[in-house]
Amino acid sequence: EVQLLESGGTLVQPGGSLRLSCAVSGLTFSAYAMTWVRQAPGKGLEWVSTITSRHGGDTFYADSVRGRFTISRDNSQNTLYLQMNSLRAEDTGFYYCATTIIRYFADNWGQGTLVTVSS
Amino acid sequence: DIQMTQSPSSVSASIGDRVTITCRASQDIGSWLAWLQHKAGKGPKLLILTASSLQSGVPSRFSGSGSGTDFTLTISSLQPEDFATYYCQQTSNFPQTFGQGTKLEIK
């Protein structure tokens, strides 16, 4: 059974930093590109970032997070990361990780981790 | 960026009803469209990819159609577990973009 487990979400002050993790099991992690998607309270889904399958792979970011967030992966630990710096109130929400298949369709999803940016 | 416009934003329906949700892209995305189901407290679930391919394990009452700029998700006979929010998503170009969502409620 494929499982994705996000962690690291918490309350953080504006301007602060946080690192989210996504532990993946049940598949060959190194073969999959990975994606982060978020949902602000009362809003819809928003794509955040994607990384291709190889360690240190190509990365893609939403304009709203480029320069502040960094996606990375450790294929030896089957873990995806999202380093979030200079956090803003509008970064508040649930963050989901997902494995992606052809043309980056997100097929397996985690349950999400909640990030709250507030003073 | 490619804008995805879904309609309706909400719909009320009964068990057994047929429901159709539409999604329009601001430019040609070929068949690079997904439909996802999202329930509160859970991660989203991929239903349809490449506009019309049913993801493994998804019931056959779900179907997708369209290409280019106009797409449709149809649920042929609503079941209790289908009440959720549905999103279209384009993967043609980065940044990937979602429609604003359609909330499917019980009538």
Side-chain angles (χ1 to χ4, degrees):
Chain A
E1 180 191 5
V2 177
Q3 289 191 324
L4 291 84
L5 183 62
E6 301 96 338
S7 61
T10 189
L11 172 65
V12 61
Q13 292 191 337
S17 297
L18 205 57
R19 189 177 82 159
L20 305 183
S21 299
C22 171
V24 181
S25 61
L27 50 71
T28 304
F29 177 71
S30 60
Y32 287 81
M34 297 292 298
T35 283
W36 287 99
V37 169
R38 67 184 180 183
Q39 184 178 36
K43 303 294 186 182
L45 300 175
E46 179 189 15
W47 172 80
V48 173
S49 183
T50 294
I51 186 168
T52 56
S53 57
R54 63 184 177 89
H55 187 80
D58 294 333
T59 57
F60 307 88
Y61 296 96
D63 287 346
S64 57
V65 306
R66 185 177 292 111
R68 300 188 299 123
F69 290 10
T70 302
I71 191 172
S72 63
R73 63 191 298 156
D74 186 340
N75 287 345
S76 68
Q77 298 293 318
N78 293 345
T79 302
L80 174 72
Y81 301 102
L82 186 67
Q83 177 66 42
M84 309 164 69
N85 298 331
S86 302
L87 282 161
R88 306 166 180 167
E90 54 265 35
D91 296 318
T92 294
F94 278 95
Y95 285 71
Y96 301 96
C97 63
T99 60
T100 70
I101 48 178
I102 56 160
R103 201 56 174 253
Y104 306 110
F105 287 108
D107 60 339
N108 296 297
W109 295 72
Q111 299 271 47
T113 187
L114 179 60
V115 173
T116 304
V117 184
S118 175
S119 54
Chain B
D1 298 0
I2 298 173
Q3 307 304 314
M4 306 300 293
T5 304
Q6 262 181 259
S7 61
S9 56
S10 66
V11 57
S12 295
S14 301
I15 302 299
D17 283 355
R18 180 184 182 91
V19 171
T20 298
I21 300 168
T22 63
C23 182
R24 174 163 288 178
S26 60
Q27 65 187 71
D28 189 340
I29 60 170
S31 295
W32 301 118
L33 184 103
W35 289 98
L36 301 107
Q37 178 191 69
H38 194 199
K39 297 181 179 179
K42 295 189 173 183
K45 178 182 179 181
L46 178 64
L47 301 175
I48 303 283
L49 65 159
T50 59
S52 59
S53 299
L54 197 65
Q55 173 69 346
S56 175
V58 174
S60 59
R61 62 181 179 273
F62 292 92
S63 64
S65 64
S67 66
T69 60
D70 292 303
F71 303 88
T72 300
L73 172 70
T74 300
I75 311 172
S76 60
S77 178
L78 276 173
Q79 299 302 302
E81 60 268 29
D82 299 338
F83 293 94
T85 300
Y86 293 83
Y87 294 91
C88 62
Q89 179 199 15
Q90 67 82 18
T91 67
S92 175
N93 291 345
F94 287 111
Q96 294 184 353
T97 44
F98 290 87
Q100 77 275 22
T102 296
K103 187 172 184 179
L104 178 52
E105 299 173 306
I106 301 174
K107 183 183 287 184

